Coordinates of all heavy atoms in Angstrom, one line a residue:
M1 N 0.8 -1.2 0.1 CA 0.0 0.0 0.0 C 0.9 1.3 0.0 O 1.8 1.3 0.8 CB -1.0 -0.1 1.3 CG -2.0 1.0 1.1 SD -3.1 0.8 2.6 CE -4.0 -0.7 2.2
S2 N 0.6 2.2 -0.8 CA 1.5 3.4 -0.9 C 1.3 4.3 0.2 O 0.2 4.4 0.9 CB 1.2 4.1 -2.4 OG 0.0 4.8 -2.2
I3 N 2.2 5.2 0.3 CA 2.1 6.3 1.4 C 1.0 7.2 1.1 O 0.2 7.6 2.0 CB 3.4 7.0 1.6 CG1 4.6 6.0 2.1 CG2 3.3 8.2 2.4 CD1 5.9 6.6 2.3
A4 N 0.7 7.5 -0.1 CA -0.3 8.4 -0.6 C -1.7 7.8 -0.2 O -2.6 8.5 0.4 CB -0.3 8.8 -2.0
W5 N -1.7 6.6 -0.4 CA -3.1 5.9 -0.1 C -3.3 5.8 1.5 O -4.4 6.1 1.9 CB -3.0 4.4 -0.6 CG -4.3 3.6 -0.3 CD1 -4.3 2.5 0.4 CD2 -5.6 3.8 -0.8 NE1 -5.5 2.1 0.5 CE2 -6.4 2.9 -0.2 CE3 -6.1 4.8 -1.7 CZ2 -7.7 2.7 -0.5 CZ3 -7.5 4.6 -1.9 CH2 -8.3 3.7 -1.4
L6 N -2.3 5.5 2.2 CA -2.4 5.6 3.6 C -2.7 6.9 4.2 O -3.5 7.0 5.1 CB -1.0 5.1 4.3 CG -0.8 3.5 4.1 CD1 0.6 3.2 4.6 CD2 -1.9 2.7 4.7
S7 N -2.1 7.9 3.6 CA -2.4 9.3 4.0 C -3.8 9.7 3.8 O -4.5 10.3 4.6 CB -1.4 10.2 3.2 OG -1.7 11.6 3.6
A8 N -4.3 9.2 2.6 CA -5.8 9.5 2.3 C -6.7 8.7 3.3 O -7.7 9.3 3.7 CB -6.0 9.0 0.9
L9 N -6.4 7.6 3.7 CA -7.0 6.7 4.7 C -7.2 7.5 6.0 O -8.1 7.6 6.7 CB -6.6 5.4 4.8 CG -7.0 4.4 3.7 CD1 -6.2 3.0 3.9 CD2 -8.4 4.3 3.5
V10 N -6.0 8.0 6.4 CA -5.8 8.7 7.7 C -6.7 10.0 7.6 O -7.4 10.3 8.5 CB -4.4 9.1 8.1 CG1 -4.3 10.0 9.2 CG2 -3.6 7.8 8.3
R11 N -6.7 10.8 6.5 CA -7.5 11.9 6.4 C -9.0 11.6 6.5 O -9.8 12.4 7.0 CB -7.1 12.7 5.1 CG -5.8 13.5 5.2 CD -5.7 14.4 4.1 NE -5.7 13.9 2.8 CZ -4.6 13.5 2.1 NH1 -3.4 13.8 2.6 NH2 -4.8 12.9 0.9
F12 N -9.3 10.5 5.8 CA -10.8 10.1 5.8 C -11.2 9.7 7.3 O -12.3 9.9 7.6 CB -11.0 8.9 4.8 CG -12.4 8.4 4.7 CD1 -13.4 9.1 4.2 CD2 -12.7 7.1 5.5 CE1 -14.7 8.7 4.2 CE2 -13.9 6.7 5.5 CZ -15.0 7.5 4.8
G13 N -10.3 9.0 7.9 CA -10.5 8.6 9.2 C -10.8 9.8 10.2 O -11.8 9.8 11.1
Q14 N -9.9 10.9 10.0 CA -10.1 12.1 10.8 C -11.5 12.7 10.4 O -12.2 13.2 11.3 CB -8.9 13.1 10.5 CG -9.1 14.4 11.2 CD -9.0 14.0 12.7 OE1 -8.1 13.4 13.2 NE2 -9.9 14.6 13.5
F15 N -11.8 12.7 9.2 CA -13.2 13.3 8.8 C -14.4 12.6 9.4 O -15.2 13.2 9.9 CB -13.2 13.1 7.3 CG -14.6 13.6 6.6 CD1 -14.8 15.0 6.6 CD2 -15.5 12.7 6.1 CE1 -16.0 15.4 6.1 CE2 -16.7 13.1 5.6 CZ -17.0 14.5 5.6
V16 N -14.3 11.3 9.5 CA -15.3 10.5 10.1 C -15.4 10.7 11.7 O -16.4 10.9 12.3 CB -15.0 8.9 9.9 CG1 -16.0 8.0 10.7 CG2 -15.3 8.6 8.4
L17 N -14.2 10.9 12.3 CA -14.1 11.3 13.7 C -14.8 12.6 13.9 O -15.5 12.8 14.9 CB -12.7 11.1 14.2 CG -12.1 9.7 14.4 CD1 -10.7 9.9 14.8 CD2 -12.9 9.0 15.5
D18 N -14.4 13.5 13.1 CA -14.9 14.8 13.1 C -16.5 14.9 13.1 O -17.2 15.5 13.9 CB -14.5 15.9 12.1 CG -13.0 16.2 12.4 OD1 -12.5 15.9 13.4 OD2 -12.3 16.8 11.5
I19 N -17.0 14.1 12.2 CA -18.5 13.9 12.1 C -19.1 13.4 13.3 O -20.2 13.9 13.8 CB -18.9 13.2 10.8 CG1 -18.6 13.9 9.5 CG2 -20.4 12.8 10.8 CD1 -18.7 13.3 8.3
K20 N -18.4 12.4 13.8 CA -19.0 11.7 15.0 C -19.0 12.7 16.2 O -20.0 12.8 16.9 CB -18.1 10.4 15.4 CG -18.6 9.8 16.6 CD -17.8 8.5 16.9 CE -18.3 7.7 18.1 NZ -18.9 8.4 19.2
R21 N -17.9 13.5 16.2 CA -17.8 14.5 17.3 C -19.0 15.6 17.3 O -19.6 15.9 18.1 CB -16.5 15.2 17.4 CG -15.4 14.2 18.0 CD -14.0 14.9 18.0 NE -13.0 13.9 18.3 CZ -11.9 13.9 17.6 NH1 -11.6 14.6 16.6 NH2 -11.0 12.9 18.0
L22 N -19.2 16.0 16.0 CA -20.3 17.0 15.8 C -21.7 16.4 16.1 O -22.5 17.1 16.7 CB -20.3 17.4 14.3 CG -19.1 18.4 13.9 CD1 -19.2 18.7 12.4 CD2 -19.3 19.6 14.7
L23 N -21.8 15.1 15.9 CA -23.1 14.4 16.2 C -23.3 14.3 17.7 O -24.3 14.6 18.3 CB -23.3 13.1 15.5 CG -23.4 13.2 14.0 CD1 -23.4 11.8 13.4 CD2 -24.7 14.0 13.6
D24 N -22.1 13.9 18.3 CA -22.1 13.7 19.8 C -22.3 15.0 20.6 O -23.0 15.0 21.6 CB -20.8 13.1 20.3 CG -20.7 11.6 19.8 OD1 -21.7 11.0 19.4 OD2 -19.5 11.1 19.8
V25 N -21.8 16.1 20.1 CA -21.9 17.4 20.9 C -23.4 17.9 21.0 O -23.7 18.6 21.8 CB -20.9 18.4 20.3 CG1 -21.5 19.0 19.0 CG2 -20.7 19.5 21.3
Q26 N -24.1 17.5 20.1 CA -25.5 17.8 20.1 C -26.2 17.3 21.2 O -27.3 17.9 21.6 CB -26.2 17.5 18.8 CG -25.6 18.2 17.6 CD -26.1 17.8 16.2 OE1 -27.5 17.7 16.1 NE2 -25.4 17.6 15.2
N27 N -25.8 16.4 21.9 CA -26.4 15.8 23.0 C -26.3 16.6 24.3 O -26.8 16.4 25.3 CB -25.9 14.4 23.4 CG -26.3 13.4 22.3 OD1 -27.3 13.5 21.6 ND2 -25.4 12.5 22.0
N28 N -25.2 17.6 24.3 CA -25.0 18.5 25.2 C -25.1 20.0 24.9 O -24.0 20.7 24.6 CB -23.6 18.3 25.9 CG -23.5 16.8 26.4 OD1 -24.3 16.3 27.1 ND2 -22.5 16.1 25.7
P29 N -26.3 20.5 24.6 CA -26.5 21.8 24.0 C -25.8 22.9 24.9 O -25.7 24.1 24.3 CB -28.0 22.0 23.9 CG -28.6 20.9 24.7 CD -27.6 19.8 25.0
N30 N -25.6 22.8 26.1 CA -25.2 23.8 27.0 C -23.6 23.9 27.1 O -23.0 24.7 27.7 CB -25.6 23.9 28.3 CG -27.3 24.1 28.3 OD1 -27.7 25.0 27.5 ND2 -28.0 23.4 29.2
D31 N -22.9 22.9 26.5 CA -21.4 22.8 26.6 C -20.8 23.9 25.7 O -21.5 24.4 24.7 CB -20.9 21.5 26.1 CG -21.2 20.3 27.2 OD1 -21.6 20.6 28.3 OD2 -20.9 19.2 26.8
S32 N -19.6 24.2 25.9 CA -18.8 25.2 25.1 C -18.6 24.6 23.8 O -18.5 23.4 23.4 CB -17.5 25.4 25.7 OG -16.7 26.2 24.8
C33 N -18.7 25.5 22.7 CA -18.6 25.0 21.4 C -17.1 25.4 20.8 O -16.8 25.3 19.7 CB -19.6 25.6 20.4 SG -19.4 27.4 20.2
A34 N -16.1 25.7 21.7 CA -14.8 26.0 21.4 C -14.2 25.0 20.6 O -13.3 25.2 19.7 CB -14.0 26.4 22.6
F35 N -14.4 23.6 20.9 CA -13.7 22.6 20.3 C -14.2 22.5 18.8 O -13.6 22.0 17.9 CB -13.8 21.2 21.0 CG -15.0 20.4 20.7 CD1 -14.9 19.4 19.7 CD2 -16.2 20.6 21.2 CE1 -15.9 18.7 19.4 CE2 -17.3 19.9 20.9 CZ -17.2 18.9 19.9
I36 N -15.4 22.8 18.7 CA -16.0 22.9 17.2 C -15.3 23.9 16.4 O -14.8 23.6 15.3 CB -17.5 23.2 17.3 CG1 -18.3 22.0 18.0 CG2 -18.0 23.3 15.8 CD1 -19.8 22.3 18.3
D37 N -15.0 25.1 16.9 CA -14.3 26.2 16.3 C -12.9 25.6 16.0 O -12.4 25.9 14.9 CB -14.2 27.4 17.2 CG -15.5 28.1 17.5 OD1 -16.4 27.8 16.6 OD2 -15.6 28.7 18.4
E38 N -12.3 25.0 16.9 CA -10.9 24.5 16.7 C -10.9 23.4 15.7 O -10.1 23.4 14.8 CB -10.3 23.9 18.0 CG -9.0 23.3 18.0 CD -8.4 22.8 19.2 OE1 -9.0 23.0 20.2 OE2 -7.5 22.0 19.2
M39 N -11.9 22.5 15.7 CA -12.1 21.5 14.7 C -12.2 22.0 13.2 O -11.5 21.6 12.3 CB -13.2 20.5 14.9 CG -13.4 19.4 14.0 SD -14.7 18.3 14.5 CE -16.0 19.2 15.2
I40 N -13.0 23.1 13.1 CA -13.2 23.7 11.8 C -11.9 24.4 11.4 O -11.5 24.3 10.2 CB -14.3 24.8 11.9 CG1 -15.6 24.1 12.3 CG2 -14.3 25.6 10.6 CD1 -16.1 23.0 11.1
Q41 N -11.1 25.0 12.3 CA -9.8 25.7 11.9 C -8.9 24.6 11.5 O -8.3 24.8 10.5 CB -9.3 26.4 13.2 CG -8.1 27.1 12.8 CD -8.4 28.3 11.8 OE1 -9.4 28.9 11.8 NE2 -7.3 28.5 11.0
N42 N -8.9 23.5 12.1 CA -8.0 22.4 11.8 C -8.3 21.9 10.4 O -7.4 21.6 9.5 CB -7.9 21.3 12.8 CG -7.2 21.7 13.9 OD1 -6.4 22.6 14.1 ND2 -7.6 21.0 15.2
Q43 N -9.6 21.8 10.2 CA -10.0 21.3 8.8 C -9.7 22.3 7.7 O -9.2 21.9 6.7 CB -11.5 21.1 8.8 CG -12.2 20.5 7.6 CD -11.7 19.0 7.5 OE1 -10.7 18.7 6.9 NE2 -12.4 18.0 8.1
L44 N -9.8 23.6 8.0 CA -9.3 24.6 7.0 C -7.9 24.4 6.7 O -7.3 24.6 5.6 CB -9.6 26.1 7.7 CG -11.0 26.5 7.5 CD1 -11.2 27.7 8.2 CD2 -11.4 26.6 6.0
I45 N -7.1 24.2 7.8 CA -5.7 24.1 7.6 C -5.3 22.9 6.7 O -4.5 22.9 5.8 CB -4.8 24.0 9.0 CG1 -5.0 25.3 9.7 CG2 -3.4 23.5 8.8 CD1 -4.5 25.3 11.2
R46 N -6.0 21.7 7.0 CA -5.7 20.6 6.2 C -6.1 20.9 4.7 O -5.4 20.4 3.8 CB -6.6 19.4 6.7 CG -5.9 18.8 8.0 CD -6.6 17.4 8.4 NE -8.0 17.5 8.7 CZ -8.3 17.7 10.0 NH1 -7.6 17.9 11.0 NH2 -9.7 17.8 10.3
I47 N -7.2 21.5 4.5 CA -7.6 21.9 3.2 C -6.6 22.8 2.5 O -6.3 22.6 1.2 CB -9.1 22.5 3.1 CG1 -10.2 21.5 3.5 CG2 -9.4 23.1 1.8 CD1 -11.4 22.0 3.8
Q48 N -6.2 23.8 3.1 CA -5.2 24.7 2.6 C -3.9 24.0 2.2 O -3.3 24.2 1.1 CB -4.8 25.8 3.5 CG -6.0 26.9 3.6 CD -5.9 27.7 4.9 OE1 -5.1 27.4 5.7 NE2 -6.7 28.7 4.8
E49 N -3.5 23.0 3.1 CA -2.2 22.1 2.8 C -2.4 21.2 1.6 O -1.6 21.1 0.7 CB -1.9 21.4 3.9 CG -1.3 22.3 5.2 CD -1.1 21.3 6.4 OE1 -1.6 20.1 6.5 OE2 -0.6 21.9 7.5
A50 N -3.6 20.7 1.5 CA -4.0 19.9 0.3 C -4.1 20.7 -0.9 O -3.5 20.2 -2.0 CB -5.4 19.2 0.5
Q51 N -4.5 21.9 -0.9 CA -4.5 22.8 -2.1 C -3.2 23.1 -2.5 O -2.8 23.2 -3.7 CB -5.2 24.1 -1.8 CG -6.7 23.9 -1.7 CD -7.5 25.1 -1.2 OE1 -7.1 25.9 -0.4 NE2 -8.7 25.3 -1.8
K52 N -2.2 23.3 -1.6 CA -0.8 23.7 -1.9 C -0.2 22.4 -2.5 O 0.5 22.5 -3.7 CB 0.0 24.0 -0.6 CG -0.2 25.4 -0.1 CD 0.5 25.7 1.2 CE 0.0 27.0 1.8 NZ 0.7 27.1 3.0
E53 N -0.4 21.3 -2.0 CA 0.2 20.1 -2.7 C -0.5 19.8 -4.0 O 0.3 19.4 -4.9 CB -0.2 18.8 -1.8 CG 0.6 18.8 -0.4 CD 0.1 17.7 0.5 OE1 -0.7 16.8 0.1 OE2 0.6 17.7 1.7
L54 N -1.7 20.1 -4.2 CA -2.4 19.8 -5.5 C -1.9 20.9 -6.5 O -1.6 20.6 -7.6 CB -3.9 20.0 -5.4 CG -4.6 18.8 -4.8 CD1 -6.0 19.1 -4.6 CD2 -4.4 17.5 -5.7
A55 N -1.5 22.1 -6.1 CA -0.9 23.1 -6.9 C 0.5 22.7 -7.4 O 0.8 23.0 -8.6 CB -0.9 24.6 -6.3
M56 N 1.2 22.2 -6.5 CA 2.6 21.8 -6.9 C 2.5 20.6 -7.8 O 3.3 20.5 -8.8 CB 3.4 21.3 -5.5 CG 3.8 22.5 -4.8 SD 5.0 22.2 -3.5 CE 4.4 20.6 -2.7
L57 N 1.5 19.7 -7.6 CA 1.4 18.5 -8.5 C 0.9 19.0 -9.9 O 1.3 18.6 -10.9 CB 0.3 17.5 -7.9 CG -0.1 16.3 -8.8 CD1 1.2 15.5 -9.1 CD2 -1.2 15.5 -8.0
E58 N 0.1 20.0 -9.9 CA -0.4 20.6 -11.2 C 0.6 21.2 -12.1 O 0.8 20.9 -13.2 CB -1.5 21.7 -10.9 CG -2.0 22.3 -12.3 CD -3.0 23.3 -11.9 OE1 -3.1 24.1 -10.8 OE2 -3.8 23.6 -12.8
K59 N 1.6 21.9 -11.3 CA 2.7 22.5 -11.9 C 3.7 21.4 -12.6 O 4.1 21.5 -13.7 CB 3.6 23.3 -11.0 CG 3.0 24.7 -10.8 CD 4.0 25.5 -9.9 CE 3.5 26.8 -9.8 NZ 4.4 27.8 -9.1
S60 N 3.9 20.3 -11.8 CA 4.7 19.2 -12.2 C 4.1 18.6 -13.4 O 4.8 18.2 -14.4 CB 4.9 18.2 -11.1 OG 5.6 18.8 -10.0
L61 N 2.8 18.3 -13.4 CA 2.2 17.6 -14.5 C 2.0 18.6 -15.7 O 2.3 18.1 -16.8 CB 0.7 17.2 -14.2 CG 0.7 16.0 -13.1 CD1 -0.8 15.9 -12.6 CD2 1.3 14.8 -13.6
A62 N 1.8 19.9 -15.6 CA 1.9 20.7 -16.7 C 3.2 20.9 -17.4 O 3.4 20.8 -18.6 CB 1.4 22.2 -16.2
S63 N 4.3 20.8 -16.6 CA 5.7 20.7 -17.0 C 5.9 19.6 -17.8 O 6.5 19.5 -18.9 CB 6.7 20.9 -16.0 OG 8.0 20.9 -16.4
L64 N 5.6 18.4 -17.3 CA 5.7 17.1 -18.0 C 4.9 17.1 -19.4 O 5.4 16.7 -20.4 CB 5.2 16.0 -17.2 CG 6.2 15.5 -16.0 CD1 5.4 14.4 -15.1 CD2 7.5 14.9 -16.6
A65 N 3.7 17.6 -19.3 CA 2.9 17.6 -20.4 C 3.5 18.5 -21.6 O 3.4 18.0 -22.8 CB 1.4 18.0 -20.0
S66 N 3.9 19.5 -21.2 CA 4.5 20.5 -22.2 C 5.9 20.0 -22.8 O 6.4 20.5 -23.7 CB 4.7 21.8 -21.6 OG 5.7 21.9 -20.6
S67 N 6.5 19.1 -22.1 CA 7.8 18.6 -22.5 C 7.7 17.5 -23.5 O 8.7 17.1 -24.1 CB 8.6 18.2 -21.3 OG 8.0 16.9 -20.9
C68 N 6.5 17.0 -23.8 CA 6.3 15.8 -24.8 C 6.3 16.4 -26.1 O 5.4 17.1 -26.5 CB 5.0 15.2 -24.5 SG 4.8 13.7 -25.4
N69 N 7.4 15.9 -26.9 CA 7.3 16.3 -28.4 C 7.7 15.1 -29.2 O 8.1 15.3 -30.4 CB 8.3 17.4 -28.5 CG 9.6 17.2 -28.0 OD1 10.0 16.1 -27.7 ND2 10.6 18.2 -28.0
N70 N 7.7 14.0 -28.6 CA 8.0 12.7 -29.4 C 6.8 11.8 -29.4 O 5.9 11.9 -28.5 CB 9.2 12.1 -28.6 CG 9.9 11.1 -29.4 OD1 9.2 10.3 -30.2 ND2 11.1 11.0 -29.4
H71 N 6.7 11.0 -30.4 CA 5.5 10.1 -30.5 C 5.8 8.7 -30.3 O 5.1 7.9 -30.7 CB 4.9 10.4 -31.8 CG 4.5 11.9 -32.1 ND1 3.5 12.4 -31.4 CD2 5.0 12.8 -32.9 CE1 3.4 13.6 -31.8 NE2 4.3 13.9 -32.6
T72 N 7.0 8.4 -29.7 CA 7.3 7.0 -29.4 C 7.6 6.8 -28.0 O 8.1 7.8 -27.3 CB 8.5 6.4 -30.1 OG1 9.7 7.2 -29.8 CG2 8.3 6.6 -31.7
V73 N 7.3 5.7 -27.4 CA 7.5 5.4 -26.0 C 9.1 5.5 -25.8 O 9.6 6.1 -24.8 CB 7.1 4.0 -25.6 CG1 7.6 3.6 -24.4 CG2 5.6 4.0 -25.6
E74 N 9.9 5.0 -26.7 CA 11.3 5.0 -26.6 C 11.9 6.4 -26.4 O 12.9 6.7 -25.6 CB 12.0 4.4 -27.8 CG 13.5 4.3 -27.7 CD 14.1 3.6 -28.9 OE1 13.6 3.7 -30.1 OE2 15.3 3.1 -28.8
G75 N 11.3 7.3 -27.1 CA 11.8 8.7 -27.0 C 11.0 9.7 -26.1 O 11.1 10.9 -26.2
C76 N 10.1 9.0 -25.3 CA 9.1 9.8 -24.4 C 10.0 10.6 -23.4 O 10.5 10.0 -22.5 CB 8.2 9.0 -23.9 SG 7.0 9.8 -22.8
S77 N 9.9 11.9 -23.5 CA 10.6 12.8 -22.5 C 9.9 12.6 -21.1 O 10.6 12.9 -20.1 CB 10.7 14.2 -23.0 OG 9.4 14.8 -23.2
I78 N 8.7 12.5 -21.1 CA 7.9 12.3 -19.8 C 8.4 11.1 -19.1 O 8.8 11.3 -17.9 CB 6.4 12.2 -20.1 CG1 5.8 13.6 -20.6 CG2 5.7 11.9 -18.8 CD1 4.4 13.4 -21.1
L79 N 8.6 10.0 -19.7 CA 9.1 8.8 -19.1 C 10.6 8.9 -18.7 O 11.0 8.6 -17.6 CB 9.0 7.6 -20.0 CG 7.6 7.0 -20.3 CD1 7.5 5.9 -21.2 CD2 6.9 6.7 -19.0
H80 N 11.3 9.6 -19.5 CA 12.7 9.9 -19.1 C 12.8 10.7 -17.9 O 13.7 10.5 -17.0 CB 13.4 10.5 -20.3 CG 13.6 9.6 -21.5 ND1 14.6 8.4 -21.4 CD2 13.0 9.6 -22.7 CE1 14.4 7.8 -22.5 NE2 13.5 8.5 -23.3
Q81 N 11.9 11.9 -17.8 CA 12.0 12.8 -16.6 C 11.6 12.1 -15.4 O 12.1 12.2 -14.3 CB 11.1 14.0 -16.9 CG 11.7 14.9 -17.9 CD 10.8 16.1 -18.1 OE1 10.3 16.6 -17.0 NE2 10.6 16.6 -19.3
L82 N 10.5 11.1 -15.5 CA 10.1 10.4 -14.3 C 11.1 9.4 -13.9 O 11.1 9.0 -12.7 CB 8.7 9.6 -14.7 CG 7.5 10.5 -15.1 CD1 6.4 9.7 -15.3 CD2 7.2 11.3 -13.7
Q83 N 11.9 8.8 -14.7 CA 13.0 7.9 -14.4 C 14.2 8.5 -13.8 O 15.0 7.9 -13.2 CB 13.3 7.0 -15.5 CG 12.2 6.1 -16.0 CD 12.4 5.4 -17.3 OE1 13.4 5.6 -17.9 NE2 11.6 4.4 -17.6
S84 N 14.4 9.9 -14.1 CA 15.6 10.5 -13.5 C 15.6 10.6 -12.1 O 14.5 11.0 -11.5 CB 15.9 11.7 -14.4 OG 14.9 12.7 -14.1
P85 N 16.7 10.7 -11.4 CA 16.7 10.7 -9.9 C 16.3 12.2 -9.4 O 16.3 13.1 -10.0 CB 18.1 10.4 -9.4 CG 18.8 10.2 -10.7 CD 17.9 10.2 -11.8

């Protein structure tokens, strides 16, 4: 299993826990909602980090796509760039 896949599972698990907490807190309407504010702030941070990662991935993919000027696998500059260290 790849690290990216494990990371996605962890993020999904956090999402499920957040939903459970939001449902649970409704049983105590007089409690402070400070942890809800914190949970939302943490979610915003995670989204902003994911957006940065996606922007970097987009740049990398755009660079790879624009480098392709050959029509054979043997001369494929995309494959050559992916194989280089």
Side-chain angles (χ1 to χ4, degrees):
M1 192 174 288
S2 74
I3 291 175
W5 179 248
L6 289 173
S7 179
L9 285 175
V10 168
R11 285 192 301 263
F12 179 73
Q14 183 62 49
F15 177 72
V16 171
L17 286 174
D18 287 349
I19 290 173
K20 183 180 181 323
R21 288 182 187 130
L22 288 172
L23 292 172
D24 289 345
V25 75
Q26 294 179 47
N27 294 325
N28 302 304
N30 295 322
D31 284 356
S32 170
C33 67
F35 93 94
I36 296 171
D37 297 336
E38 182 180 339
M39 183 175 32
I40 295 300
Q41 185 62 37
N42 289 336
Q43 190 66 268
L44 281 171
I45 290 168
R46 285 192 293 270
I47 289 169
Q48 290 164 348
E49 289 171 354
Q51 287 174 326
K52 288 177 188 175
E53 291 173 9
L54 287 171
M56 289 188 318
L57 178 59
E58 181 183 22
K59 279 185 174 182
S60 295
L61 290 174
S63 175
L64 285 172
S66 68
S67 72
C68 185
N69 56 8
N70 198 316
H71 300 290
T72 65
V73 171
E74 181 181 26
C76 181
S77 59
I78 293 173
L79 292 176
H80 291 289
Q81 288 181 42
L82 290 174
Q83 292 173 350
S84 65

